[in-house]
Amino acid sequence: TLLRSSLAVSVTAVLLVHNSCDVWNPKAIRSAMGATFRIPIRRFDTFDNLIDFLNVDCGVNTKERFYAATMDVAEEEGPETEKVSASSSPAYYEVGWAYNNDNNANLGGSNPAVLCLGKEGEGLHPEIREALSKGNIKSVHVPMEPGSMESLNAAVCGSVVLFEYLRQKRVYGTYNDDL
């Protein structure tokens, strides 16, 4: 599902770290409906190697443009419209996936964004959680109605964010591959 969604919105590549899903598993290949062979996929031995690749080879400012999907929420309206602060995680639609954080269109693709998803059932790898706690990367979440569900599965969460990226590309006219 995520490979299909990634291909549908024209992401640049899918990057995997150790202990990620096996995209070459026959069931995964079958469910990807050919996307496995149409989008660049690269695996990294360590999270640090991934960060180095993104910073050095891809020009990603990982402290500003690397977002890990979490269940944390940011300030939301409380029952009597007061602000309730739970953490600093913005909702997925508050992130400039296809534009720079100052709301200028990312027309040159010089400020690409990265979305990181955890493993189904396990969530984010401890290395990624540590990077979040140190402020080396940011978090993002998909808001849900309180008490409705504990969480979304990784494919649904990732697809929701990916299609927001596509929406922003269309609104801001940034048809470069910068995610």
Side-chain angles (χ1 to χ4, degrees):
T1 301
L2 280 169
L3 288 176
R4 291 168 70 180
S5 293
S6 297
L7 185 62
V9 304
S10 298
V11 300
T12 303
V14 172
L15 307 175
L16 306 169
V17 292
H18 62 290
N19 296 328
S20 293
C21 66
D22 180 7
V23 297
W24 302 109
N25 175 298
K27 286 184 181 180
I29 291 173
R30 200 169 29 255
S31 68
M33 301 287 295
T36 311
F37 305 106
R38 297 177 56 201
I39 189 165
I41 300 171
R42 183 166 177 184
R43 185 176 295 275
F44 294 85
D45 293 334
T46 67
F47 180 65
D48 288 339
N49 288 346
L50 169 65
I51 293 296
D52 288 345
F53 172 76
L54 290 168
N55 284 322
V56 176
D57 296 333
C58 301
V60 175
N61 177 351
T62 53
K63 283 193 176 217
E64 294 297 321
R65 303 291 289 155
F66 188 112
Y67 294 89
T70 68
M71 290 303 299
D72 297 334
V73 296
E75 292 184 354
E76 294 184 359
E77 296 293 322
E80 297 174 5
T81 68
E82 80 275 9
K83 293 287 184 179
V84 179
S85 180
S87 78
S88 60
S89 176
Y92 73 97
Y93 50 79
E94 296 173 328
V95 172
W97 299 103
Y99 57 88
N100 293 325
N101 291 338
D102 58 3
N103 290 333
N104 292 322
N106 190 18
L107 296 173
S110 60
N111 199 13
V114 176
L115 173 64
C116 175
L117 299 169
K119 211 171 173 180
E120 202 67 52
E122 297 176 24
L124 295 170
H125 191 276
E127 288 176 296
I128 297 167
R129 289 199 174 280
E130 182 180 345
L132 277 168
S133 69
K134 290 181 176 179
N136 294 333
I137 60 175
K138 294 183 175 188
S139 66
V140 66
H141 73 281
V142 175
M144 298 186 296
E145 285 295 318
S148 62
M149 292 294 299
E150 184 177 310
S151 66
L152 297 174
N153 71 27
V156 170
C157 174
S159 294
V160 166
V161 175
L162 289 172
F163 280 93
E164 172 62 11
Y165 161 69
L166 178 63
R167 186 195 70 79
Q168 289 180 18
K169 283 197 330 181
R170 290 186 173 170
V171 168
Y172 293 99
T174 57
Y175 283 95
N176 56 338
D177 294 333
D178 60 354
L179 182 67

